[in-house]
Amino acid sequence: MNILEPTIFDLSQEGRQGAALPDLDVPEKPLEELLPEESLRRDLPHLPEVSEPEVVRHFIHLSSFNHHIDKGFYPLGSCTMKYNPKVNEVSARLPGFARVHPLAPAKTVQGALRLMHELGDLLCRISGLDEVTLQPAAGAQGELAGLMMIRAYHDKRGHRRSKVLIPDSAHGTNPASVTLAGYRSVQVASNDRGLVDIDDLRRAADEEVAALMLTNPNTLGLFESDIEEIERIVHGVGAQLYMDGANLNALLGIARPGDMGFDVVHFNLHKTFSTPHGGGGPGAGPVGVKAHIGPFLPVPVILRDGEEYRLDYDRPDSIGKIQSFYGNFGVMVRAYTYIRMMGARGLRAVSENAIINANYLKRKLEGTYDLPYPQHCQHEFVLSGRRQKEQGVKTLDIAKRLLDFGVHAPTIYFPLIVPEALMIEPTETESKESLDAFIDAMLTIAREVSTDPERVRTAPHTTPVRRLDEAGAGRKLDVRQRADRGV
Ligand SMILES: *Cc1c(COP(=O)(O)O)cnc(C)c1O
């Protein structure tokens, strides 16, 4: 493969055309008669002039440089990079969904509203909650919306609280959302089993606490088995229990956050519910709430009156609007299709297989890599590259070397409480053969760390680009010069 791909502008040839329009069948009018003077451009736009096959080949070629789920295994912990069934795309491309306009009057888009209403219902049933907003465009935005609702709830009751508790294993978006929502985040320690330290939680829980944000299973892939005690402590001081449900892949059909006592939960449709993910979106981070938080949901809420669906803006306690229109509708169509195709039993099988796959990998790798928390894991687990580091090879090097085996690197250096962390989530969509190939790659790399550490330290060797200066690339964005130097 050659990374010295010309840009689409380099391919341009004057006068070459990619699209032809039919002859006009109405009288021609000069633009000057149709547009005001200030809207007319003086110079032609500098656009590449290329044929249709040149455009297609250029972008298909570029797409093959990158690793993606349709190309190979992608065990990126916490991100749930499962295969996206192509039937989701079939639904999303139906003209009645794909061509609907967000400003169309509600009575002309009843099908779209019905789909959103039913998706909300399905998420409520899966999670044990009462109401849902589909608006947020990402998990992080769902967190912010959830915290804003919790804030509005406390304000309404006349007790403005000041802080939110977060375990030290939490995803980085949690403290960021807490700060954006105007709260101070206070860390709660994990115990030696990787779970919330109950004594530390008791110490931190007081009447100034607005909420505890918990990820369950947590980012170590461990189920918080003290959840009932946690719920009593949090509700005991009048605080709300928030679940970061970005990743629900271990719970589907097995356990429901609502039954565990959670009041507010966000979901990532682009993780658990198989909508495309990575490369910056679009995503969707719906938020489900118990009935007492319902009045604070963003507007509009989609309501059903008999056979008719309508948008309700008349919610005086609402936190307002948090996203244009209703959020990323195309993502909702895909997630809805996935849930309906799987059905209740299928969804349960998703979680069972995700858990089995993760435990299989963990048992096969634990003798070779350190496993700080050895208990049964849920959909993911975290290894430590400590032992390899002592031999002079960092976790970053191991991750880069995996690329040579056609595997996307796992999440590394997260969660922060595990040194040299390798966070692995195989998902349910991988076969035993692809799991075995991954195990082979990991064992081979561990052997290389002893026999040929330089090979690991200088990896990757077979990808279109080799080891990048990542910090430099971020600071000095100069794509062409870098390619010319053949990096
Ligand atoms: C992915 C993830 C998030 C953030 O979701 P985005 O859609 O990337 O904003 C939050 N928490 C956890 C545990 C996650 O895995």
Side-chain angles (χ1 to χ4, degrees):
M1 260 191 279
N2 181 9
I3 189 60
L4 301 178
E5 178 77 11
T7 68
I8 193 83
F9 292 94
D10 295 332
L11 296 176
S12 181
Q13 293 292 334
E14 207 179 320
R16 190 161 291 170
Q17 279 199 342
L21 298 176
D23 290 338
L24 270 187
D25 58 0
V26 292
E28 185 170 341
K29 272 197 174 186
L31 266 184
E32 292 75 17
E33 284 181 25
L34 300 168
L35 289 175
E37 167 75 25
E38 69 269 19
S39 301
L40 294 172
R41 58 162 74 244
R42 265 171 277 286
D43 308 306
L44 286 178
H46 180 59
L47 294 175
E49 298 178 73
V50 282
S51 69
E52 181 175 314
E54 282 170 329
V55 175
V56 171
R57 284 181 187 160
H58 177 70
F59 286 107
I60 292 287
H61 191 198
L62 285 182
S63 76
S64 71
F65 283 174
N66 220 346
H67 193 88
H68 47 90
I69 192 65
D70 288 341
K71 193 167 161 185
F73 185 37
Y74 210 134
L76 192 64
S78 199
C79 286
T80 315
M81 302 299 290
K82 62 174 71 179
Y83 175 73
N84 310 137
K86 297 300 168 248
V87 66
N88 297 354
E89 300 303 317
V90 175
S91 300
R93 279 164 177 68
L94 290 173
F97 290 138
R99 300 206 186 140
V100 72
H101 194 281
L103 288 176
K107 66 177 189 314
T108 67
V109 290
Q110 285 291 303
L113 295 182
R114 177 175 167 190
L115 180 139
M116 288 190 276
H117 191 265
E118 288 185 8
L119 175 60
D121 261 5
L122 291 166
L123 292 174
C124 283
R125 277 152 65 186
I126 288 168
S127 60
L129 297 164
D130 300 316
E131 290 186 66
V132 159
T133 174
L134 301 172
Q135 266 184 51
Q141 200 188 13
E143 291 172 23
L144 178 60
L147 288 165
M148 286 168 71
M149 287 187 259
I150 288 174
R151 188 182 183 96
Y153 165 81
H154 287 303
D155 282 358
K156 180 92 183 171
R157 291 159 55 98
H159 186 175
R160 170 157 290 217
R161 297 173 174 229
S162 62
K163 56 191 182 187
V164 172
L165 306 182
I166 304 181
D168 56 10
S169 58
H171 195 273
T173 49
N174 292 186
S177 301
V178 165
T179 305
L180 278 176
Y183 286 116
R184 189 159 56 84
S185 63
V186 175
Q187 211 174 67
V188 179
S190 299
N191 61 25
D192 56 6
R193 291 183 305 133
L195 304 176
V196 168
D197 184 325
I198 296 294
D199 291 332
D200 201 44
L201 175 63
R202 262 204 205 92
R203 263 193 301 277
D206 60 29
E207 304 271 320
E208 276 305 302
V209 173
L212 168 72
M213 280 184 101
L214 194 65
T215 308
N216 195 18
N218 66 26
T219 63
L220 295 164
L222 304 174
F223 189 79
E224 294 283 355
S225 47
D226 292 326
I227 182 63
E228 289 171 310
E229 181 61 16
I230 292 171
E231 187 269 333
R232 276 192 291 275
I233 295 170
V234 170
H235 284 155
V237 295
Q240 296 291 289
L241 197 53
Y242 182 101
M243 181 164 130
D244 177 340
N247 201 316
L248 224 57
N249 225 33
L251 299 184
L252 300 173
I254 298 176
R256 305 196 308 170
D259 300 338
M260 298 176 207
F262 286 100
D263 304 292
V264 181
V265 182
H266 85 264
F267 320 95
N268 281 17
L269 300 188
H270 47 289
K271 291 181 181 171
T272 314
F273 299 104
S274 91
T275 73
H277 176 192
V287 186
V289 300
K290 288 265 175 72
H292 65 282
I293 303 288
F296 308 101
L297 285 170
V299 284
V301 171
I302 300 161
L303 291 183
R304 180 177 173 173
D305 284 338
E307 286 307 298
E308 186 163 334
Y309 296 86
R310 64 180 178 88
L311 299 169
D312 182 19
Y313 285 89
D314 184 19
R315 303 180 66 104
D317 290 329
S318 165
I319 59 166
K321 200 146 179 28
I322 53 148
Q323 179 68 20
S324 55
F325 303 111
Y326 324 111
N328 287 324
F329 176 64
V331 175
M332 298 168 204
V333 178
R334 290 172 174 87
Y336 177 84
T337 305
Y338 177 72
I339 294 172
R340 294 299 300 266
M341 290 297 290
M342 297 305 288
R345 258 183 296 170
L347 288 180
R348 187 182 167 102
V350 162
S351 287
E352 288 171 348
N353 289 321
I355 294 169
I356 290 168
N357 282 359
N359 278 283
Y360 179 67
L361 288 185
K362 187 186 65 159
R363 288 292 167 234
K364 292 284 188 180
L365 295 173
E366 67 182 336
T368 309
Y369 294 87
D370 259 19
L371 178 66
Y373 302 102
Q375 60 273 47
H376 176 77
C377 70
Q378 300 294 319
H379 58 296
E380 64 191 358
F381 62 101
V382 182
L383 296 172
S384 166
R386 263 191 299 234
R387 231 182 282 174
Q388 287 70 25
K389 177 90 178 288
E390 281 163 17
Q391 300 177 67
V393 173
K394 299 189 298 259
T395 282
L396 176 70
D397 305 325
I398 296 170
K400 295 290 183 194
R401 181 71 178 120
L402 269 172
L403 303 177
D404 288 328
F405 292 83
V407 174
H408 191 280
T411 299
I412 54 173
Y413 300 110
F414 176 78
L416 306 176
I417 54 176
V418 174
E420 297 295 311
L422 282 148
M423 183 193 208
I424 298 170
E425 179 183 9
T427 82
E428 72 285 0
T429 57
E430 295 303 319
S431 65
K432 179 162 181 300
E433 293 74 29
S434 73
L435 298 181
D436 285 338
F438 175 68
I439 293 163
D440 275 352
M442 287 293 284
L443 298 182
T444 303
I445 295 170
R447 269 196 305 279
E448 286 177 344
V449 169
S450 317
T451 57
D452 189 2
E454 202 47 28
R455 183 143 186 85
V456 187
R457 277 197 291 264
T458 52
H461 304 285
T462 58
T463 47
V465 284
R466 303 277 296 272
R467 189 75 68 105
L468 290 171
D469 174 2
E470 287 165 0
R475 291 194 193 112
K476 202 167 161 237
L477 193 63
D478 186 351
V479 182
R480 184 174 324 214
Q481 276 201 17
R482 271 162 200 281
D484 288 349
R485 273 186 244 125
V487 188

